[in-house]
Amino acid sequence: MAVDLRLEEEHEALRRTVEDFAQREVAPVIGELYEREEFPYKLVAQMGEMGLFGLPFPEEYGGMGGDYFALCLALEELARVDSSVAITLEAGVSLGAMPIYRFGNDKQKQQWLPSLCAGEALGAFGLTEPDGGSDAGATRTLAKLDGDEWVINGSKSFITNSGTDITRLVTVTAVTDFEPGSKRREISAIIVPAGTPGFTVEKKYSKVGWNCSDTHGLAFNDVRVPAENLLGERGRGYAQFLSILDEGRVAIAAIGTGLAQGCVDECVRYAGERVAFGKTIGTYQAIQFKIAEMQARVYTSRLAYYAAAAKMLRGESFKSEAAIAKLVSSNAAMDNARDATQIFGGYGFMNEYPVGRFYRDAKILEIGEGTSEVQKMIIARGLGL
């Protein structure tokens, strides 16, 4: 059987549609929004109208009836122009809505998914804690059952989409069995609606990049929610979110690929315009070779996330492939952003040029949703080491 990497007609049509949206709607405005560190509400609403937030969800919940690979294609095209917009979509779908879809009961799905799929509301994923980082299983946030309510105390860090005007819920991991002296740690997932008394969204972070993305720390002080807000099986919260992260890493790999491709796009254009020593710089072999290496990284990165997504859609184990895709794509994004900045010279250091944003945005791809070191651990374990 021949290997065919061409996109199916529906996927190619989606890719072209999002490419056009990114170039026509995102590119003209994102520079100023980025400079002001302003959340792109209008762009989010437009993506909602296009159905992008509902891409991988069934039509019965207001989704588009597509698949996760369709989401990845959309993310790549958005990230070719700006990663803040891309990560807003990625987090809204894979971290906000997907846990509800994967693990929620019928009532929870009916309550939350229609507005999340429409992009009218955003959900967030409360996993990381101030002292947690890569050791996400060392959860300190506590949730105690008091009658028919959970009482939650603790804090979370670096939570995307957690403080916007349209954020409606945060799904929080918390220790739900903490008997003194017990070695057993039961971590469960609980839905906390925005505005619940005792639930505080802290001041937004001052970040190196992703300036149009919404990111906050969260505090929970005797937050009370109904016992029925438990998401999935009690004690399975951490395992649930590990599976969510496997999917998310494929999506992040698509963003890394898009950023790396955006660097190539900008450099090809600039190399044909910029004149040095009487010639356009694209005629010099030094520049040609650098851009050629950049394109090779993009090609490899795209193949890696396509392969991981293919195994995911076939229902096969894809943990190692997702880790490989994220590792390769984040390296490609960082390397290409550095090379693009070098090609642009002094202009590459200016925020008015896209490559300046790309450089600032690339680094977090080696950290978020599992550091590069964590990806290497996963890959090594997959080899039996």
Side-chain angles (χ1 to χ4, degrees), residues 150 174-178 184-188 234-236:
W150 291 105
V175 177
T176 49
D177 182 3
F178 42 94
R184 180 170 174 264
R185 288 177 54 81
E186 178 186 87
I187 299 177
S188 304
R234 177 170 173 168
R236 295 289 298 167

Side-chain angles (χ1 to χ4, degrees), residues 47 119 135 154 169 182 202 215 220 232 236 298 337:
M47 290 192 293
D135 188 11
L169 74 147
S182 174
E202 298 173 345
T215 318
F220 304 88
R236 295 289 298 167
V298 174

Side-chain angles (χ1 to χ4, degrees), residues 85-314:
V85 174
I87 196 60
T88 298
L89 175 62
E90 190 277 337
V93 175
S94 66
L95 301 183
M98 193 59 73
I100 306 293
Y101 175 64
R102 294 283 187 223
F103 309 113
N105 56 39
D106 289 340
K107 180 179 179 181
Q108 291 167 338
K109 292 178 183 178
Q110 293 293 344
Q111 178 180 358
W112 297 110
L113 284 180
S115 60
L116 294 173
C117 288
E120 298 168 354
L122 290 175
F125 172 98
L127 176 65
T128 306
E129 298 193 354
D131 296 324
S134 296
D135 188 11
T139 303
R140 295 186 180 182
T141 297
L142 303 178
K144 184 176 182 179
L145 202 54
D146 181 19
D148 60 355
E149 292 182 320
W150 291 105
V151 182
I152 306 171
N153 285 279
S155 60
K156 300 291 179 178
S157 298
F158 314 128
I159 309 304
T160 304
N161 291 349
S162 58
T164 75
D165 292 344
I166 57 174
T167 299
R168 295 292 178 265
L169 74 147
V170 179
T171 302
V172 178
T173 52
V175 177
T176 49
D177 182 3
F178 42 94
E179 296 180 7
S182 174
K183 294 183 179 180
R184 180 170 174 264
R185 288 177 54 81
E186 178 186 87
I187 299 177
S188 304
I190 302 171
I191 300 171
V192 180
T196 301
F199 172 26
T200 303
V201 178
E202 298 173 345
K203 182 181 178 181
K204 70 176 184 179
Y205 293 106
S206 175
K207 297 174 293 186
V208 172
W210 282 1
N211 281 7
C212 292
S213 171
D214 176 81
T215 318
H216 299 263
L218 307 176
F220 304 88
N221 183 19
D222 288 335
V223 173
R224 289 180 172 269
V225 298
E228 64 185 22
N229 281 25
L230 178 71
L231 183 65
E233 183 181 344
R234 177 170 173 168
R236 295 289 298 167
Y238 184 57
Q240 291 169 7
F241 279 108
L242 286 180
S243 67
I244 289 294
L245 286 175
D246 285 337
E247 295 180 346
R249 284 165 183 152
V250 182
I252 293 295
I255 292 178
T257 302
L259 190 156
Q261 181 67 68
C263 290
V264 173
D265 297 341
E266 291 297 320
C267 286
V268 169
R269 178 190 59 77
Y270 187 69
E273 299 173 353
R274 175 77 161 93
V275 175
F277 306 106
K279 298 180 181 179
T280 56
I281 63 173
T283 62
Y284 296 113
Q285 198 173 67
I287 300 299
Q288 294 174 359
F289 282 8
K290 192 177 289 290
I291 296 177
E293 289 178 351
M294 292 168 64
Q295 182 61 20
R297 295 184 193 118
V298 174
Y299 189 81
T300 304
S301 177
R302 185 174 292 119
L303 288 177
Y305 97 72
Y306 275 28
K311 292 197 73 173
M312 180 200 308
L313 296 185
R314 291 197 298 266

Side-chain angles (χ1 to χ4, degrees), residues 7 10-28 43 47 50 52 55 70-82 85-86 89 258 261-262 265-266 302 305-306:
L7 295 178
E10 294 83 0
H11 282 141
E12 176 59 21
L14 170 69
R15 189 201 65 76
R16 289 181 180 273
T17 298
V18 180
E19 178 186 25
D20 178 69
F21 169 75
Q23 297 294 336
R24 178 172 41 84
E25 301 292 340
V26 180
L43 296 175
M47 290 192 293
M50 293 170 64
L52 300 189
L55 276 174
L71 171 66
C72 291
L73 292 174
L75 292 172
E76 181 183 345
E77 292 303 323
L78 290 171
R80 285 177 69 178
V81 173
D82 179 71
V85 174
L89 175 62
Q261 181 67 68
D265 297 341
E266 291 297 320
R302 185 174 292 119
Y305 97 72
Y306 275 28

